[in-house]
Amino acid sequence: MSAAPHLRDRYLQDSINTASPAKLLLMLYDRLVLDLMQAEQALRDGDREAAHDKVTHAQEIVIELRTSLDVEAWSGAPALANIYGWMLTELIGANIARDADRVAAIRNLAEPLRDTWREAAAAAVAG
């Protein structure tokens, strides 16, 4: 048996364990967008099992984003919490209805959120 998968898993875990909070947030958003892209494609291809797995994982990420959000930290946090709530509701509905368009709508919201956080993190490092 090859050690490569074990080493890759260890590298990924080490990357997560040593990442800054800003980097962790971007990692979550990157994975959320990837899951949504893959879920949308799986739904369009009729692969229900893969779609379910990706949508369910996306739900877990949104839950993590929502629970780790400090709504007292800044004035926009309550609105972001509401967006996460909407995303979660839509993901559940998309999974039940097997609706690729609903998944695409969530992705279309998640991508600019991710990009905004990426820009904010870069500005914080630069400034």
Side-chain angles (χ1 to χ4, degrees):
M1 181 173 180
S2 171
H6 174 70
L7 292 174
R8 183 189 73 235
D9 291 345
R10 182 172 171 195
Y11 171 78
L12 291 172
Q13 190 61 49
D14 287 348
S15 296
I16 292 167
N17 291 340
T18 60
S20 68
K23 179 66 176 169
L24 283 172
L25 180 67
L26 291 174
M27 292 168 79
L28 284 170
Y29 266 107
D30 284 340
R31 182 56 195 259
L32 174 61
V33 170
L34 178 63
D35 282 346
L36 294 170
M37 288 175 14
Q38 291 174 341
E40 180 184 353
Q41 189 59 52
L43 285 166
R44 296 196 192 288
D45 292 344
D47 187 346
R48 293 178 183 175
E49 185 176 342
H52 173 76
D53 290 345
K54 295 300 176 181
V55 170
T56 301
H57 192 254
Q59 289 172 359
E60 292 170 3
I61 292 171
V62 172
I63 290 168
E64 179 62 28
L65 290 169
R66 174 56 189 96
T67 58
S68 64
L69 178 63
D70 180 358
V71 294
E72 304 296 323
W74 56 288
S75 63
L80 184 57
N82 288 337
I83 291 170
Y84 290 151
W86 176 85
M87 292 171 94
L88 186 58
T89 299
E90 284 299 294
L91 282 166
I92 292 167
N95 203 15
I96 292 168
R98 298 183 188 115
D99 189 338
D101 292 336
R102 283 173 88 172
V103 173
I106 300 161
R107 183 178 48 80
N108 287 334
L109 182 59
E111 287 174 335
L113 284 171
R114 175 200 57 194
D115 296 343
T116 299
W117 284 114
R118 181 170 284 124
E119 290 168 13
V125 169

